[in-house]
Amino acid sequence: MVGRFENLIHLTQIGPRSGTVPNLPDSVRGTRRIRGATGISGIEFLFHSLCPLWVFPMRTPAFLLLIALVSAGVPARAATPWFDRVLVGMEIGPTGAQFGHSDPKDTRYCARFDGREIVRQAVAARSEYLVLWVRDGDYAYYDSKLLPKAPGLGTRDPLRDAVDEARRHKLPLLAYCVVQQGGHYLKAHPEWEMRGADGQPVGRFCLNSGYLEGMKQIVAEQLATGIDGFHIDMLDQGFGPPYGCWCSACQAQFKQEFGHAMPQGATWDAAWDEMLEFRYRSSERFEKALAAHIKSLSPLASVDFNYHGNPPFSFEVGQRPVQHAGNGDFTTGETGVWGFSALTVGLNAEFYRAAVPQQRVQVAMQRGVRMYHDQTTRPLADMRWELLTLLTHGAFVTMVDKTAFDGWLDPVAYDRVGAAFAEARAKREHFGHRPVRDVGLYFSSRTRDWVGREKPADYFQCFQGAHKAMVYEHIPWGVLLEENATQESLRQYPVIILANTGILSEKEIGLLRRYVEDGGQLLVTGLSGCYDGKGQVQSGSALETLVGARFERKLNSLDNWVRFSPAQLDSLTLPPSVLRADWPFLVKGPAGVFAPTTAQPFGELLKPHRTTRQLEGREGTDWPMSADAAVGPAVLLNTVGKGRVLTFTCSPDFAVASEHHIAEARKLLAAAVRFLHPRPRVRVVAPANVEAVVTDDPAGRTVRVHLLGYNSPPQTTPVRERPYVLPGLIEDAPLFRAGVELDSPLQRVEVLNPSTVLVQHDGRVEVTVNDIHEVVLLRY
C-alpha cells in the first residue's frame, strides 16, 4: 500500500525536475515534500481523487487529521524547493491603490489586470518564478470572502487564473500579501489600529492586536487557491514617531513581560531599552506565528518576509538585523538606486547573507527609474548592472513590475527584462560560489539604536563609508553582525574593521581579543568602544587594552585634520602616491584624543580653527574650517598576542561617505588594510567605478573575479532637495582596464566576453573590457 501511495505522489509532481544553483552549500538546500499538481500536497491530491469532496472538504480538521495519519506511514520524498533552484523571477502587481483609500467605485482600476496574461508575459521574459500581488490595504485581487475586491476586476479572479496558467508552465507562483498598509481594511477594523502615547490612532496595524487572527484567515483563503507560497510585505512598525504602540493590548502585554507600565515616549533610559526590546519581540512573534500558521495548513508552502533590518532602517521599524531575518524560508530584502544608492546594491545582498548565513537570499529590484510605481522603464544596461551585481553577490533576484492603472503590461519593459534574465540564466554556473574576503565590516545594532538614536545616519555613514572604501579600492569584503558573531565567523576574515562601533559589550570585547591574540588584524576607527550601553560617552574606552591607549576626550568637531611626517609614512608603508608628507588633509568625522600606553603612535590629529562668531555660537560649523593645532596622535599601532590593532583616532570611514570626501581619506583606510594584510590571495587593480567581487570554487580549482562597470553621465542641480542627486541611468557599456594577480601559479585564464582583450604576463592578468559585466576565470 505504501508503494502505491508513493507512486501516486510521484505522478503528481510539479516543477522542474533538475537544475540547481551551482555549488550551493548543502546546509542551504534542505528538503521538501513534493507539491501536488493542484498546488496541494500529493497526499491531499490522492484523497481528493479517492474520496468525494463532500466527505473530506479541503483542509477541514477531519481532512487534515486523515492526511497526518496516512502521512505517518508514507516515507517523504526529497525535493529541491523552488527557491533553492532559481536565479531570477518577477513580482507583478497593480498601480493605483498602493497608498490606500482609493475610490472603490472606480471600475477603471485593474480593468485589464489579467492573471493568465501576467503569467505568460513572465514566462516569455524567462522568469523562473512569479510573485503576484493579491492583497494590499484596500483590496483583494481575487474572489475573497474577507476583503473587498478591486473594482475593475468584475467577475474575473486573476489569482485563480494565474494559478491555472502557472501550472501549465510549471512556474512556482507566490502570493504578494501586504501586512502593514493603511487603507479600507484598517478603516473597517479600528480596534486593530496602533495608538500613540497620547491615545490617538497612528494609521497602522498593531502587531499585538487581533490583527494576527485576521491575517491568518486572509492567508488561509489565499492558500486554498493552490499557490506555492507567500511573500509577506511590510512587517515594519513605522518609519518615524511615535516609535511604538500604546494601545490597550500592547500596554497589557508590556506590563506582563516587564512588570511595569510602558514609558510615555522615547525616554532613552532603561525603560525605553525595554520598550525597544518589546517592539522587537512583537515583530518576531507576529512573523513566527503567521509563518507557523501557513506551514500548519501546507507544510510545502514557502514563506518569506520583506526585511527591514539593514541600513537605512533603524530601530523605528521594529527589526534587528539577525532577529528578524530568519523567520521565513529565505531572507528577502530590496534594493534600488533611488532608495538605497547605487553603491549599496551589493552591500544589501551581503548584509542579508550575513544575517542568516544558512539561508538563501532574495533581493527585489524594479524596472522603473525612481520607485516601484512610477511607470517608467529603465534602459537595459541599467537593469543589467543592478541584476548582475546582485547575482554576483550570491542573491537570487526578483524584478518588480507595476502595471498601468488599468492593468496594462508595458511590452518594452518585458523585452528588456527578458534580455537581462536570459543573460543571467546563461551565466548561471558562475554565480553562487564561495566568496573570497579580506575584510569583515562589523555592524552593531546596539550602536545603531543607542548612539544613532533618531539620527542613525551618523553611524550608518561610518559603516557605509568603510564599505565604499573597500569597493573603490577593490578589496574583497563581507559583513559581520554583532548578534551572531562567533570566534569562527571572525576568523574567516584576515582583517576586521570596527567603523565607529561606539558600543561594544563584554562578550564582543572577549571575541575581538581572542581574534587578535590568535593572529587576527583589527582596524579601529573614531570613537569605537567609547560609549556605554545607553549611548553616552564614557570616561574611558572599552577597547583601551586592545588599542594600547587611554581615551581622554571626544573632540566636539567633525572637520578634523590629519598630518604625517615622511618617516611616519615610511613606517606605515604609505607611498607618496597616497599621501604627501607634512600636509594636513581633511578627515571629516568623529574623533577622539588618545594617550598611548603600549601602542606606537603615528601622525598628528589636528583640531579645526574656529572663528570668533563660531566660538560665540553665532555661526554654524557645517562647512569645514582649516587645520589648527595638533591634539594627539592620528594612528595607534598595538601588538596583542599574535595579532595587531591599528587605530585611527579620526574617522576616515565617515569621511569617505561624507559630502566632503577627498580621495586621501579613502586611500588612507585602504592602505591601513594592506599594511595589516599585505599578501592577499587576489589583488585587483581597476578604476574606482568598477566593482570587483571575488569567489572561489575549490572543486573546480577556479577563482572568479567578477568585474562590474558602473557608468552614468553627470547630473545637473536637482529641481528640489539640493544636494540630493539621483544618478543618471546607464545607457552605454563602460570601457575599462583591470589587472588581476593571484598568489599562486596559474594554469589557465579565461574570460566570458569575446570582445574582452586578455593579456597575461609574469603571473599578472590584464583585461580591457567593454561591457557591464565580465568574469575573469583563474584556473589554478
Side-chain angles (χ1 to χ4, degrees):
M1 186 66 178
V2 169
R4 287 183 58 201
F5 276 123
E6 200 167 4
N7 290 335
L8 281 167
I9 295 170
H10 178 70
L11 291 173
T12 63
Q13 290 184 10
I14 186 170
R17 300 295 189 269
S18 62
T20 60
V21 177
N23 297 285
L24 196 64
D26 290 341
S27 62
V28 176
R29 295 188 185 281
T31 59
R32 295 289 190 280
R33 292 169 54 197
I34 304 298
R35 277 194 78 75
T38 60
I40 59 179
S41 71
I43 296 243
E44 288 176 288
F45 178 81
L46 171 66
F47 272 96
H48 276 287
S49 301
L50 299 180
C51 305
L53 287 177
W54 62 266
V55 177
F56 292 110
M58 197 173 170
R59 290 187 176 85
T60 62
F63 175 71
L64 293 173
L65 176 61
L66 190 54
I67 288 176
L69 291 174
V70 176
S71 297
V74 180
R77 299 180 62 89
T80 303
W82 71 266
F83 51 83
D84 277 352
R85 64 175 184 258
V86 299
L87 278 183
V88 290
M90 293 196 72
E91 176 197 308
I92 302 175
T95 289
Q98 67 273 12
F99 299 118
H101 306 288
S102 62
D103 183 358
K105 299 184 183 65
D106 191 347
T107 57
R108 299 171 301 159
Y109 178 54
C110 288
R112 298 171 63 184
F113 192 71
D114 185 331
R116 293 187 186 277
E117 183 61 18
I118 286 172
V119 171
R120 294 186 193 113
Q121 291 296 331
V123 170
R126 307 299 302 274
S127 179
E128 296 177 299
Y129 60 93
L130 173 62
V131 183
L132 183 69
W133 188 297
V134 301
R135 185 255 169 154
D136 54 32
D138 274 353
Y139 303 119
Y141 298 86
Y142 63 99
D143 290 337
S144 174
K145 296 179 180 179
L146 303 170
L147 304 164
K149 188 177 177 182
L153 293 179
T155 60
R156 292 180 295 112
D157 187 328
L159 177 56
R160 291 190 181 274
D161 290 345
V163 168
D164 292 342
E165 187 68 21
R167 190 172 301 128
R168 290 184 58 247
H169 298 279
K170 300 180 179 179
L171 184 75
L173 182 71
L174 296 308
Y176 175 101
C177 186
V178 164
V179 167
Q180 196 61 281
Q181 179 185 316
H184 299 322
Y185 192 65
L186 178 59
K187 186 177 180 180
H189 292 281
E191 72 276 13
W192 297 342
E193 190 166 5
M194 289 177 66
R195 301 274 169 171
D198 59 0
Q200 295 301 308
V202 298
R204 306 186 69 81
F205 286 104
C206 171
L207 301 183
N208 290 312
S209 68
Y211 182 47
L212 174 61
E213 297 307 312
M215 278 299 306
K216 287 179 179 180
Q217 295 177 41
I218 290 170
V219 297
E221 182 180 67
Q222 295 168 3
L223 195 60
T225 63
I227 58 175
D228 293 283
F230 290 92
H231 170 56
I232 309 293
D233 196 11
M234 305 312 287
L235 260 294
D236 64 278
Q237 295 184 43
F239 298 94
Y243 305 134
C245 177
W246 282 262
C247 74
S248 57
C250 282
Q251 292 197 51
Q253 182 72 27
F254 183 92
K255 189 167 186 178
Q256 178 182 342
E257 292 185 30
F258 297 101
H260 59 84
M262 284 180 160
Q264 294 301 300
T267 52
W268 296 107
D269 54 14
W272 186 248
D273 199 5
E274 292 172 335
M275 184 67 168
L276 291 182
E277 183 62 38
F278 176 73
R279 297 175 79 250
Y280 292 139
R281 291 180 190 177
S282 298
S283 295
E284 182 182 26
R285 278 193 297 262
F286 192 98
E287 288 184 354
K288 288 184 173 180
L290 191 59
H293 180 69
I294 292 169
K295 296 293 187 181
S296 73
L297 298 177
S298 180
L300 298 171
S302 64
V303 183
D304 70 277
F305 298 97
N306 194 4
Y307 171 73
H308 293 94
N310 59 297
F313 305 114
S314 188
F315 74 90
E316 75 273 7
V317 301
Q319 293 192 4
R320 281 197 185 105
V322 174
Q323 185 177 354
H324 300 92
N327 295 330
D329 290 299
F330 49 90
T331 306
T332 294
E334 55 192 316
T335 181
V337 174
W338 61 272
F340 297 90
S341 87
L343 190 62
T344 53
V345 170
L347 178 60
N348 284 6
E350 295 290 352
F351 200 100
Y352 307 148
R353 293 178 71 184
V356 192
Q358 71 271 21
Q359 287 190 346
R360 288 207 72 195
V361 165
Q362 173 188 228
V363 183
M365 58 178 284
Q366 76 288 337
R367 61 99 165 177
V369 172
R370 186 63 179 88
M371 53 86 71
Y372 295 117
H373 294 272
D374 71 356
Q375 297 299 296
T376 57
T377 301
R378 302 162 69 179
L380 175 58
D382 210 57
M383 287 186 185
R384 289 181 60 221
W385 166 79
E386 189 168 12
L387 173 67
L388 291 164
T389 297
L390 291 169
L391 293 172
T392 296
H393 282 282
F396 68 97
V397 182
T398 299
M399 180 75 73
V400 178
D401 172 45
K402 298 306 182 188
T403 71
F405 180 72
D406 62 0
W408 179 74
L409 300 173
D410 182 346
V412 173
Y414 284 81
D415 288 346
R416 293 177 184 174
V417 171
F421 279 8
E423 178 182 359
R425 294 176 65 167
K427 293 178 175 179
R428 183 186 296 269
E429 67 176 292
H430 300 291
F431 304 121
H433 298 282
R434 187 175 68 191
V436 175
R437 294 163 170 165
D438 293 346
V439 173
L441 304 174
Y442 193 89
F443 184 89
S444 165
S445 59
R446 186 76 189 183
T447 301
R448 174 196 78 174
D449 289 358
W450 286 90
V451 175
R453 298 194 178 188
E454 295 174 75
K455 195 181 177 185
D458 286 349
Y459 170 58
F460 292 156
Q461 187 165 321
C462 303
F463 175 76
Q464 292 175 324
H467 163 255
K468 179 180 178 180
M470 298 304 102
V471 173
Y472 277 29
E473 298 296 326
H474 312 101
I475 298 174
W477 54 273
V479 175
L480 282 163
L481 302 172
E482 116 262 32
E483 288 177 82
N484 59 4
T486 64
Q487 206 60 58
E488 182 181 357
S489 65
L490 267 59
R491 286 197 193 103
Q492 296 176 17
Y493 297 92
V495 179
I496 292 175
I497 298 180
L498 299 182
N500 267 288
T501 310
I503 301 174
L504 291 164
S505 67
E506 291 184 8
K507 178 184 176 181
E508 292 173 89
I509 296 294
L511 286 172
L512 292 168
R513 173 171 290 281
R514 176 76 180 278
Y515 164 78
V516 177
E517 289 175 342
D518 289 347
Q521 309 291 309
L522 187 62
L523 181 53
V524 180
T525 71
L527 300 174
S528 293
C530 294
Y531 291 81
D532 65 19
K534 298 295 190 297
Q536 299 297 322
V537 177
Q538 303 181 108
S539 57
S541 168
L543 287 170
E544 285 184 354
T545 58
L546 278 173
V547 304
R550 185 177 64 256
F551 173 59
E552 295 189 332
R553 62 186 174 92
K554 172 188 174 183
L555 290 185
N556 61 1
S557 54
L558 291 179
D559 47 337
N560 303 303
W561 299 73
V562 168
R563 179 171 59 201
F564 294 97
S565 69
Q568 289 167 337
L569 291 181
D570 290 341
S571 298
L572 291 172
T573 64
L574 293 174
S577 60
V578 175
L579 291 173
R580 179 171 176 169
D582 295 326
W583 176 63
F585 62 97
L586 178 67
V587 182
K588 185 173 183 177
V593 178
F594 288 79
T597 52
T598 59
Q600 183 180 1
F602 294 89
E604 295 175 305
L605 174 67
L606 301 95
K607 68 178 182 179
H609 277 289
R610 287 291 178 253
T611 68
T612 300
R613 284 175 56 82
Q614 287 173 329
L615 293 173
E616 293 172 347
R618 296 188 293 136
E619 183 179 311
T621 58
D622 290 341
W623 295 104
M625 290 295 291
S626 58
D628 194 356
V631 294
V635 177
L636 301 162
L637 182 62
N638 195 38
T639 300
V640 180
K642 299 178 182 178
R644 293 175 295 178
V645 180
L646 190 151
T647 302
F648 287 107
T649 62
C650 54
S651 299
D653 39 26
F654 186 102
V656 170
S658 77
E659 293 181 10
H660 297 100
H661 167 228
I662 61 174
E664 284 76 14
R666 183 183 84 237
K667 296 289 186 182
L668 180 63
L669 196 58
V673 171
R674 287 304 179 216
F675 172 79
L676 294 172
H677 184 49
R679 289 179 292 279
R681 186 177 182 195
V682 181
R683 190 182 294 269
V684 178
V685 178
N689 67 309
V690 175
E691 181 174 2
V693 180
V694 183
T695 63
D696 185 21
D697 174 15
R701 296 189 63 79
T702 303
V703 166
R704 286 172 171 83
V705 180
H706 294 261
L707 300 171
L708 294 140
Y710 185 81
N711 180 20
S712 62
Q715 303 298 290
T716 189
T717 304
V719 175
R720 60 180 181 176
E721 295 189 18
R722 187 174 62 87
Y724 304 111
V725 179
L726 188 68
L729 304 175
I730 305 173
E731 300 179 47
D732 306 307
L735 175 65
F736 61 88
R737 292 176 180 170
V740 181
E741 294 180 9
L742 191 66
D743 70 343
S744 56
L746 291 171
Q747 301 298 319
R748 190 168 76 255
V749 181
E750 302 170 58
V751 291
L752 293 191
N753 296 336
S755 62
T756 295
V757 178
L758 171 65
V759 178
Q760 182 180 354
H761 54 79
D762 298 329
R764 178 181 172 86
V765 176
E766 294 182 354
V767 292
T768 303
V769 181
N770 186 196
D771 202 356
I772 295 290
H773 179 232
E774 178 60 284
V775 185
V776 182
L777 295 96
L778 308 172
R779 314 287 188 182
Y780 57 88

